[in-house]
Amino acid sequence: MKDCGSVRNIHIKIEYDGSGFHGWQFQPNVRTVQAVVEEVLSLVCAEEIHVHGTSRTDAGVHAYGQHATFPLNSAIPVDRIPVAANNILKDVKIVWAREEAPDFHARYDAVGKTYIYRIALDGLRVGAHVRSALYDSTDIFLRNYLLPVNYSLDIPAMQEAAKDFVGTHDFASFQAAGSQIIENTVRTISALTIGERTRMDTKGNTCKELLVTVTGDGFLYNMVRIIVGTLLEVGRGRKSSADIKKIIGAKDRTFAGPTASPCGLYLFEVYYNSEGR
Amino acid sequence: MKDCGSVRNIHIKIEYDGSGFHGWQFQPNVRTVQAVVEEVLSLVCAEEIHVHGTSRTDAGVHAYGQHATFPLNSAIPVDRIPVAANNILKDVKIVWAREEAPDFHARYDAVGKTYIYRIALDGLRVGAHVRSALYDSTDIFLRNYLLPVNYSLDIPAMQEAAKDFVGTHDFASFQAAGSQIIENTVRTISALTIGERTRMDTKGNTCKELLVTVTGDGFLYNMVRIIVGTLLEVGRGRKSSADIKKIIGAKDRTFAGPTASPCGLYLFEVYYNSEGR
């Protein structure tokens, strides 16, 4: 089937609100993005569709730029696919669809990815009332979209720490304990930036959020969440920015900080080498 | 029970994200805000709680300022109620709780309410491609929070039309067809304003939204949604701002515009007469 000359190779970019999903990857009896996308594409293309996604995002993780490829027999015009699919989809959007060369694969041909982490700094206003801080100041309309922190953050220290992640390193310390054995845990982070930005809450008030943006050639399982969990430890003074080199050097998960909540994490974009990919 | 001197009368202000609810009012077998609030308060107060809400908001309608009262036997400090309840609640927040005089009732003592309607104007950018406009420009992360429109709006015409709603009128034309017979359909709208505001979408882009704010002493069933549906008809040129007086005068639902989608509607605040209420 796959070698049949008439099979088209379709590449789609996908945006989704992860709040209502048990992550990307198909699992029986729960709602996953992959299952929803396959169901709708099968309907739209009038044939059974199976997609290969670039990243297996965790439950609750959002995406502005997930990518996937799938083989297609139908002659449906490629531009028609997002329009028809988006007519049905609610919390997922097919940003675009295009045809690729037969050997292109959304996952294996990806050369880099950017993730962003949005952290709500509003809890800081309330001061010492830690328990009520979290709830009084958290915007419930954004509960699935930003990670709330109810402690002060030393942002310059976090920015200093961020620098030591950049480069090519063995990131074994930043891989989820119990991950499948991966032979090569060396990855290259090309950029890791931490910046404050002003946002408007749903009531129209101005609030501050911390935006962590990390770009790399690939990420180990939970690597972004553990990096952010470690940066938050630096921000609250439980680790020093000087510790990052030691943590990386240890190649031991127990040296790094906790895995940050998936709340606030977005797969922002995936990069491909060729022009037009 | 109600006349027992030891029964306290607790007044709460409630915020909720209506996306995950079949409206405020209890119904069997579906998730409603009332049921969730009663369940959590019963747990927190260690007794069975039944609340009387001010407004029976429809499915999908949000609230920053729903109010409710309930009788309470427990001696729990009133300030403890929101803290304990918010520890459990996710898409509902008890903003505050306080004790009131025994005869105070959240619904019958309300003297006014403000609703807001948030309308996303981003679809306008895309121009003629009506179908794709709706989907390409809609921020899926805000799909439950703003009403998207995919046609141009004459905002000054809407603002002109808004003026004729203000005052004391018989709003029978703006009551849902098939509503229970209500003897008195006269209501007073004290303010109806329409303004553009700039918001940031979840990607950090600047977008425009239209904010409709309406305050009155009370509203008939679906009255706010029919007013907004009628204003949108004016905005797109299907009705003229001069039509409003005629529509009100007709006292006939068929003269008004369609009922706007609940998406984008928020119960913003409820007002009470007494100091401290």
Side-chain angles (χ1 to χ4, degrees):
Chain A
M1 282 283 277
K2 249 197 138 176
D3 293 337
C4 164
S6 69
V7 175
R8 303 157 74 193
N9 184 21
I10 307 297
H11 177 190
I12 54 176
K13 180 173 173 178
I14 313 163
E15 190 173 304
Y16 47 85
D17 179 338
S19 312
F21 294 103
H22 285 75
W24 165 263
Q25 195 173 18
F26 177 83
Q27 297 172 62
N29 305 323
V30 294
R31 187 167 186 260
T32 65
V33 185
Q34 184 183 0
V36 165
V37 166
E38 289 181 346
E39 187 186 342
V40 171
L41 289 176
S42 298
L43 198 68
V44 162
C45 301
E47 66 183 71
E48 198 177 319
I49 300 290
H50 293 287
V51 304
H52 300 273
T54 304
S55 176
R56 294 175 185 173
T57 57
D58 290 339
V61 174
H62 310 295
Y64 285 121
Q66 173 72 284
H67 287 243
T69 39
F70 60 92
L72 178 71
N73 293 294
S74 159
I76 182 173
V78 73
D79 290 346
R80 181 73 201 144
I81 293 170
V83 177
N86 291 338
N87 210 353
I88 305 166
L89 292 165
K90 292 265 184 202
D91 45 359
V92 178
K93 181 161 76 172
I94 310 293
V95 181
W96 48 248
R98 59 190 180 210
E99 263 184 276
E100 299 279 3
D103 62 340
F104 177 82
H105 190 286
R107 186 165 183 199
Y108 304 128
D109 284 323
V111 295
K113 287 176 204 159
T114 295
Y115 284 92
I116 65 171
Y117 227 102
R118 299 178 65 193
I119 299 167
L121 295 176
D122 313 310
L124 300 182
R125 280 202 230 121
V126 185
H129 298 280
V130 171
R131 170 58 67 194
S132 56
L134 196 58
Y135 296 105
D136 288 344
S137 61
T138 298
D139 187 329
I140 56 162
F141 294 96
L142 294 175
R143 71 193 179 287
N144 295 322
Y145 306 113
L146 285 96
L147 179 72
V149 297
N150 59 354
Y151 41 80
S152 296
L153 288 175
D154 180 344
I155 295 167
M158 294 173 73
Q159 290 167 328
E160 194 57 37
K163 292 177 189 168
D164 284 333
F165 284 101
V166 177
T168 301
H169 304 290
D170 185 332
F171 283 101
S173 293
F174 295 88
Q175 178 175 227
S179 299
Q180 289 172 290
I181 303 300
I182 289 187
E183 280 185 31
N184 182 0
T185 48
V186 175
R187 296 290 183 276
T188 299
I189 291 185
S190 50
L192 174 50
T193 60
I194 298 170
E196 270 184 89
R197 73 176 182 186
T198 300
R199 66 180 173 85
M200 205 168 67
D201 74 6
T202 57
K203 291 177 198 169
N205 300 316
T206 298
C207 302
K208 282 198 168 172
E209 73 176 69
L210 200 65
L211 188 67
V212 179
T213 307
V214 54
T215 302
D217 62 349
F219 295 91
L220 304 169
Y221 186 56
N222 277 355
M223 179 170 156
V224 175
R225 292 172 57 186
I226 301 167
I227 288 174
V228 171
T230 305
L231 287 169
L232 287 170
E233 292 282 277
V234 171
R236 69 195 298 188
R238 291 185 174 174
K239 290 189 194 302
S240 135
S241 57
D243 291 339
I244 303 301
K245 281 183 180 162
K246 282 179 258 173
I247 298 169
I248 294 173
K251 299 176 195 172
D252 179 343
R253 171 68 186 89
T254 62
F255 281 64
T259 306
S261 158
C263 170
L265 179 57
Y266 299 70
L267 171 57
F268 194 73
E269 192 47 286
V270 179
Y271 309 102
Y272 296 95
N273 250 333
S274 314
E275 173 83 13
R277 281 188 175 178
Chain B
M1 281 284 275
K2 248 197 142 181
D3 292 335
C4 163
S6 69
V7 176
R8 303 158 72 193
N9 185 20
I10 307 297
H11 178 189
I12 53 176
K13 179 174 173 178
I14 313 163
E15 190 174 303
Y16 47 84
D17 179 337
S19 312
F21 293 103
H22 285 75
W24 165 263
Q25 194 173 18
F26 178 83
Q27 297 172 62
N29 305 321
V30 294
R31 189 169 184 259
T32 66
V33 185
Q34 184 183 0
V36 165
V37 166
E38 289 182 345
E39 187 186 342
V40 171
L41 289 177
S42 298
L43 198 68
V44 162
C45 301
E47 67 183 69
E48 199 177 318
I49 300 291
H50 294 287
V51 304
H52 299 273
T54 304
S55 176
R56 294 175 184 171
T57 57
D58 291 340
V61 174
H62 312 295
Y64 285 122
Q66 172 72 284
H67 287 244
T69 40
F70 60 91
L72 178 70
N73 294 294
S74 159
I76 181 173
V78 72
D79 289 347
R80 181 72 200 144
I81 294 171
V83 177
N86 292 338
N87 209 353
I88 304 165
L89 292 164
K90 293 264 184 201
D91 44 1
V92 179
K93 182 161 74 171
I94 310 293
V95 180
W96 48 248
R98 59 190 178 212
E99 264 185 275
E100 300 279 3
D103 62 338
F104 177 83
H105 190 287
R107 188 166 180 197
Y108 304 128
D109 285 325
V111 295
K113 288 177 202 159
T114 297
Y115 285 91
I116 64 172
Y117 228 103
R118 300 178 64 194
I119 299 166
L121 296 177
D122 313 309
L124 302 182
R125 279 202 231 122
V126 185
H129 298 281
V130 172
R131 169 59 70 196
S132 56
L134 196 58
Y135 296 103
D136 288 344
S137 61
T138 299
D139 187 327
I140 56 161
F141 293 96
L142 294 175
R143 73 195 178 286
N144 295 322
Y145 307 113
L146 286 97
L147 179 71
V149 296
N150 59 353
Y151 41 81
S152 296
L153 288 174
D154 180 345
I155 294 167
M158 294 174 73
Q159 289 167 329
E160 194 57 36
K163 292 178 189 168
D164 285 333
F165 284 103
V166 176
T168 301
H169 304 289
D170 185 334
F171 284 102
S173 294
F174 296 89
Q175 179 175 229
S179 299
Q180 290 171 289
I181 303 301
I182 287 186
E183 279 184 28
N184 182 359
T185 48
V186 174
R187 296 290 184 276
T188 299
I189 292 185
S190 50
L192 174 50
T193 59
I194 298 171
E196 271 183 90
R197 71 175 184 188
T198 300
R199 63 181 176 83
M200 204 169 67
D201 74 6
T202 56
K203 290 177 198 170
N205 299 318
T206 299
C207 303
K208 282 198 170 172
E209 74 177 66
L210 201 65
L211 188 67
V212 179
T213 308
V214 55
T215 301
D217 62 349
F219 296 92
L220 304 169
Y221 185 56
N222 276 355
M223 181 169 153
V224 175
R225 291 171 57 187
I226 301 169
I227 287 174
V228 171
T230 305
L231 287 169
L232 288 170
E233 291 283 277
V234 172
R236 69 195 298 188
R238 290 185 175 175
K239 291 192 194 301
S240 137
S241 56
D243 292 337
I244 303 302
K245 281 182 182 164
K246 282 179 256 172
I247 297 170
I248 293 174
K251 299 176 195 174
D252 179 341
R253 172 69 186 88
T254 62
F255 281 64
T259 307
S261 159
C263 169
L265 179 58
Y266 298 70
L267 170 57
F268 194 72
E269 190 49 283
V270 178
Y271 309 103
Y272 296 96
N273 249 333
S274 313
E275 175 80 15
R277 282 187 171 178

